[in-house]
Each structure stands twice: as structure tokens, then as C-alpha cells.
């Protein structure tokens, strides 16, 4: 069975600093997708970044980048130059489609950016 | 139009009521999803529609009944709910099953 683990329930970072959120997953499959989603307080969930497992190059979106270590089954999110608007719950998600379909979210990391 | 809309935003219903949640997208996406999210918890997948056909039903109780009338609309019919069904119900869509999802703002449901 596939699992997604986010071991940091809460984190805080000073504005303009860099923070890394961790995510590990467990699967025996080789072809899957990983995502980071952001859910600000009382606002809707939006996609931050996506990574295909077959791609070795780490995905980057502006201030957001991932460190994808396939062998270690690790998918961490780095936020550079943190901004107050980055305060949110961050969910790591795993998706596989191989005869069946699974979309599994981790338990989330609540990030607070401090002024 | 890159939005997923959901109505109503809030819903309070008694255990004997019948109500429906609605979700709409005009991005041409062919996969649509219903999730249930309890406070401070991750979303839990309930149903997945792909090309207007129910692809996944994650062992959801029959008091929840999904419907996909066309490629842009997704409904969730509610009947005889329990107080523990109170939660934020999220709708999402994606171009196809293997793609990132776009979420709506959710309907906050309270069952009294």
C-alpha cells in the first residue's frame, strides 16, 4: 500500500528566509507523480509544484523548488525568500495510475511565516 | 476561465433532509473529484469521475450519491447524513486522471 508521511506538523520561518518541508512516501511502483499543494487559512487549495517520477530533474516554480530523491523516496519542498503570503497548510500528495488509481495526501505541515 | 466553483458555500442540514452540493468547471477538464476534509486533516478522496463515468468510489456510504450530468458539472446528493459527516467538501478537476488537480473553495457542511 502507498503511504505519504509529512513528519513536521508545524514549522515557522522568518520573512525572507528559506525553509524546507519534508515528505517521504512508500510505494513499490516505478511510475507515479508527486505534488505539493498549499491551502491558506480559509482559502482554497492550490497546486504549488508537480514532479513526475521518471524525470530526474527537480521541478522548480519561481521561489519553490523540490529535492526529489527517488531511491530514498523523498520529496522535500524548499521555499526561498519566504513571504507572509506563504503562510498556509502544505500537503504533499502522491498519485499513481497503474490499472487502478490512487491519490493520497500526507497529513500536512502548517507553515507560519513571521514578520 | 481557470476556476472551479462550488455552491453553496455553507450548508446546514438535519439528519432527515435531502440536499445537493454542486461543482462546476469550464476548463475542459475530463476528470472531476469529490473530497471530504475534516478540520486540520488532509482531504480524503470520495469519488472520481473520468469522462463522465464513475471511476473510483472509495467505499463511501450510500447516503452520499454522486452524479456527473455532463463534463462541466458534478453533483453530490446527500440524504440521511450523520453529524460525523460534518466537514468541508471539496470538488476538484484535472485535464485527465494523471494530472494535477484544481480545487474549488469547498462547501462547509454542518449536519445537526
Amino acid at each position: 500500500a502507498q503511504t505519504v508521511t509529512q513528519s513536521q506538523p508545524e514549522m515557522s520561518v522568518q520573512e525572507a528566509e528559506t525553509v524546507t518541508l519534508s515528505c517521504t512516501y512508500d510505494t513499490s511502483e516505478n511510475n507515479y507523480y508527486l505534488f505539493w499543494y498549499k491551502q491558506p487559512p480559509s482559502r482554497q487549495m492550490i497546486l504549488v509544484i508537480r514532479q513526475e517520477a521518471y524525470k530526474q530533474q527537480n521541478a522548480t516554480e519561481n521561489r519553490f523548488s523540490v529535492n526529489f530523491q527517488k531511491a530514498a523516496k523523498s520529496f522535500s519542498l524548499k521555499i526561498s525568500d519566504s513571504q507572509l503570503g506563504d503562510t498556509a497548510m502544505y500537503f504533499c500528495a502522491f498519485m499513481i495510475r497503474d490499472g487502478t488509481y490512487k491519490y493520497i495526501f500526507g497529513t500536512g505541515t502548517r507553515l507560519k511565516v513571521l514578520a | 476561465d481557470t476556476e472551479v466553483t462550488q455552491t453553496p458555500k455553507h450548508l446546514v442540514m438535519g439528519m432527515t433532509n435531502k440536499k445537493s452540493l454542486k461543482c462546476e468547471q469550464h476548463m475542459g477538464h475530463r476528470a472531476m473529484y469529490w473530497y471530504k476534509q475534516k478540520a486540520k486533516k488532509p482531504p480524503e478522496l470520495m469519488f472520481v469521475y473520468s469522462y463522465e463515468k464513475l471511476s473510483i468510489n472509495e467505499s463511501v456510504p450510500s447516503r452520499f450519491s454522486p452524479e456527473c450530468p455532463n463534463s462541466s458539472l458534478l453533483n453530490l446528493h446527500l440524504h440521511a447524513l450523520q453529524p460525523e459527516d460534518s466537514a468541508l467538501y471539496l470538488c476538484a478537476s484535472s485535464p485527465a486522471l494523471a494530472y494535477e488537480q484544481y480545487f474549488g473553495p469547498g462547501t462547509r457542511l454542518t449536519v445537526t
Side-chain angles (χ1 to χ4, degrees):
Chain A
Q2 289 82 12
T3 60
V4 178
T5 302
Q6 293 180 250
S7 58
Q8 305 149 313
E10 293 187 2
M11 296 185 73
S12 61
V13 62
Q14 289 294 135
E15 200 175 4
E17 297 292 308
T18 295
V19 64
T20 299
L21 311 183
S22 68
C23 173
T24 58
Y25 58 95
D26 190 21
T27 183
S28 57
E29 302 295 333
N30 198 43
N31 189 20
Y32 51 87
Y33 302 81
L34 295 160
F35 308 88
W36 278 99
Y37 286 91
K38 167 186 176 181
Q39 189 174 34
S42 301
R43 292 177 60 191
Q44 66 197 80
M45 183 128 57
I46 59 173
L47 176 73
V48 175
I49 204 161
R50 159 195 166 110
Q51 175 83 43
E52 292 89 345
Y54 63 85
K55 288 188 178 178
Q56 293 188 342
Q57 187 173 5
N58 289 325
T60 299
E61 283 290 340
N62 301 314
R63 297 182 296 107
F64 299 89
S65 62
V66 298
N67 184 4
F68 174 48
Q69 303 285 332
K70 190 171 182 179
K73 296 179 183 174
S74 171
F75 182 60
S76 61
L77 175 70
K78 185 171 86 169
I79 306 174
S80 304
D81 186 25
S82 297
Q83 301 175 0
L84 295 177
D86 296 334
T87 292
M89 179 73 93
Y90 286 82
F91 292 103
C92 176
F94 169 95
M95 193 278 286
I96 189 165
R97 187 184 178 199
D98 184 15
T100 183
Y101 172 83
K102 287 290 181 186
Y103 209 106
I104 302 167
F105 283 81
T107 51
T109 295
R110 187 172 300 277
L111 176 68
K112 187 169 186 179
V113 179
L114 307 171
Chain B
D1 187 354
T2 57
E3 265 196 324
V4 176
T5 59
Q6 290 187 245
T7 56
K9 290 185 179 179
H10 301 274
L11 179 62
V12 179
M13 60 185 291
M15 289 190 283
T16 58
N17 291 158
K18 284 186 182 182
K19 296 285 185 183
S20 296
L21 309 185
K22 295 186 185 303
C23 174
E24 191 167 3
Q25 58 88 13
H26 294 290
M27 295 179 277
H29 289 175
R30 302 316 299 266
M32 296 186 78
Y33 312 77
W34 279 116
Y35 288 88
K36 174 183 178 180
Q37 187 178 27
K38 291 281 207 179
K40 298 185 179 181
K41 297 290 186 184
E44 297 173 33
L45 186 63
M46 299 174 71
F47 302 105
V48 181
Y49 275 83
S50 178
Y51 289 85
E52 297 150 58
K53 287 188 173 16
L54 185 62
S55 296
I56 302 287
N57 175 344
E58 292 284 3
S59 302
V60 178
S62 60
R63 57 186 185 267
F64 295 92
S65 175
E67 179 196 17
C68 190
N70 60 55
S71 60
S72 300
L73 290 174
L74 187 65
N75 298 322
L76 186 62
H77 303 297
L78 315 171
H79 173 55
L81 295 192
Q82 304 297 309
E84 59 265 28
D85 297 322
S86 298
L88 182 68
Y89 287 83
L90 296 170
C91 174
S93 71
S94 63
L97 282 180
Y99 290 80
E100 62 272 16
Q101 297 180 15
Y102 293 76
F103 284 83
T107 292
R108 189 160 299 282
L109 174 67
T110 303
V111 181
T112 61

